Amino acid sequence: GFLRQLLTSSCVRGRPLPWQLHLPWVSPHLAAAVLVLALGALQLALPKGDRRHRLVGYAWCALMAFISLSGLLIQLEPGHVTVIHLASSLFAVINLALLPLVVWGARTGRRRLHRFAALGMFACLLNAGALSFIPFRAVGLLVFGIVH
């Protein structure tokens, strides 16, 4: 979908992909992030508490765990850490801490806890995602077409 369109449009324009997208964890991380964003928006829009909500919720939690862990594993330049990397890592750690609360809150009927933790995770996802669109970063280069 969206990721394929971005990659195709970059290639069609005759521009190479940013080098970061060729690293082992980056492309799966990016694909999962796009999917988790769509699933999260779907969860927010549709009715809560039914079977669909639970199934999509478990898939969303698994994908959030994957993007949090893979985000921590991505090192573009080992030993070189920027403020953006620290913020993204902080969002990943927060998500990993909130994830058990989301599941436990839902399974024990603690709706407020479940809602607070899930919305907190979604907010971290949106913030980390927004940081990736900064024009000099890989996704920003891809989206804004600055790659030469």
Side-chain angles (χ1 to χ4, degrees), residues 19-20 23 26 73-82 85 136:
W19 65 269
Q20 296 93 333
L23 296 175
V26 175
L73 293 173
I74 294 172
Q75 282 193 332
L76 301 179
E77 297 176 43
H80 180 72
V81 179
T82 66
H85 291 103
F136 64 85

Side-chain angles (χ1 to χ4, degrees), residues 1 3 6 11 14 18 27 47-48 61 69 71-73 92-93 99 108 116 121 128 131 134-135 138 146:
L3 182 59
L6 274 177
C11 293
S27 292
K48 314 295 182 267
C61 284
L69 291 171
L72 291 172
L73 293 173
V93 169
L99 185 59
T108 59
F116 172 77
M121 287 180 69
L131 290 175
I134 293 173
I146 301 172

Side-chain angles (χ1 to χ4, degrees), residues 26-72:
V26 175
S27 292
H29 176 80
L30 185 57
V34 170
L35 183 57
V36 82
L37 180 63
L39 287 176
L42 183 71
Q43 285 292 76
L44 290 173
L46 294 175
K48 314 295 182 267
D50 59 2
R51 183 171 184 216
R52 186 225 30 97
H53 182 80
R54 282 190 301 280
L55 291 175
V56 172
Y58 281 121
W60 185 79
C61 284
L63 285 168
M64 285 296 284
F66 174 77
I67 65 169
S68 295
L69 291 171
S70 64
L72 291 172

Side-chain angles (χ1 to χ4, degrees), residues 113-124:
L113 173 65
H114 173 73
R115 181 174 43 248
F116 172 77
L119 289 173
M121 287 180 69
F122 196 69
C124 284

